Amino acid sequence: MTGILLVQGDITRQRADAIVNAANSSLLGGGGVDGAIHRRGGPAILAECRALRASRYGRGLPTGQAVATTAGRLGAQWVIHTVGPVFSADEDRSPLLASCYRASLRVADELGARTVAFPAISTGVYGWPMADAARIAVAAVRSADTAVEEVRFVLLDAPAYEVFARQIG
Ligand code: AR6
């Protein structure tokens, strides 16, 4: 069974087999978690992302999918990049958000990663309300068929941590 752990802090300070990046389709970096991961992880991550764009993902990584690179200087072996959906009040994109967690855990299984740290995907620049995102994230992880032993949600601030804590129950 996969254990779920909550941590408040900066995901780039975590030690885990894999750290998940809330990326965008370009895989070439951005703000938020993505910016922090590339800054602290160093240029090796971007080099592998560029190579992915030149090969398998010429059109970018589609929303809801995931792909791994080295973690560079981070305290992990791999970064798993996934692209969350932009929140929409008119359209239910929650299957895509759930897919980010499931696809990332599938990639983790392929790599043999046993501990995986996730940020709250789509809740920053992409505008997803935290409580709804937490509900989707926890349900997706709980229902995933995975060999990952520990999923750690790493929440930047206390309000986000509290929202996830309520969701875990
Ligand atoms: N550690 C943990 N959580 C963090 C950190 C950190 N270092 N930094 C931010 N958060 P976001 P998204 C929280 O915007 O919404 C980028 O430009 C943040 O408070 O990183 O999926 C990409 O390139 C929020 O709760 O990801 C994409 O273009 C959550 O992490 C776009 O943003 C996610 O915020 C992706 O947007």
Side-chain angles (χ1 to χ4, degrees):
M1 219 188 80
T2 309
I4 298 182
L5 242 145
L6 300 185
V7 173
Q8 190 192 324
D10 178 349
I11 197 166
T12 68
R13 302 282 187 179
Q14 293 292 306
R15 295 198 161 275
D17 293 335
I19 292 174
V20 176
N21 182 18
N24 61 62
S25 286
S26 80
L27 290 175
L28 301 179
V33 172
D34 200 7
I37 281 179
H38 284 283
R39 262 196 312 280
R40 192 172 296 279
I45 301 174
L46 187 58
E48 280 195 26
C49 286
R50 287 194 200 284
L52 284 167
R53 286 301 308 278
S55 55
R56 267 168 78 188
Y57 294 107
R59 295 176 171 196
L61 180 65
T63 303
Q65 296 190 24
V67 68
T69 65
T70 175
R73 296 193 288 259
L74 295 176
Q77 255 186 288
W78 302 282
V79 169
I80 298 173
H81 307 262
T82 189
V83 182
V86 175
F87 179 74
S88 162
D90 312 322
E91 192 190 343
D92 181 14
R93 298 178 179 165
S94 35
L96 282 170
L97 184 55
S99 172
C100 288
Y101 291 93
R102 278 199 300 270
S104 297
L105 290 172
R106 206 174 308 124
V107 169
D109 282 335
E110 286 163 14
L111 297 167
R114 291 292 181 265
T115 55
V116 180
F118 279 97
I121 298 165
S122 287
T123 63
V125 174
Y126 284 176
W128 209 293
M130 189 62 77
D132 197 49
R135 177 183 62 77
I136 294 163
V138 170
V141 168
R142 281 187 172 151
S143 64
D145 180 17
T146 174
V148 169
E149 289 160 7
E150 181 191 307
V151 163
R152 201 180 310 149
F153 288 110
V154 184
L155 295 321
L156 193 58
D157 55 27
Y161 180 95
E162 291 307 326
V163 165
F164 268 76
R166 270 196 294 281
Q167 203 47 243
I168 304 271

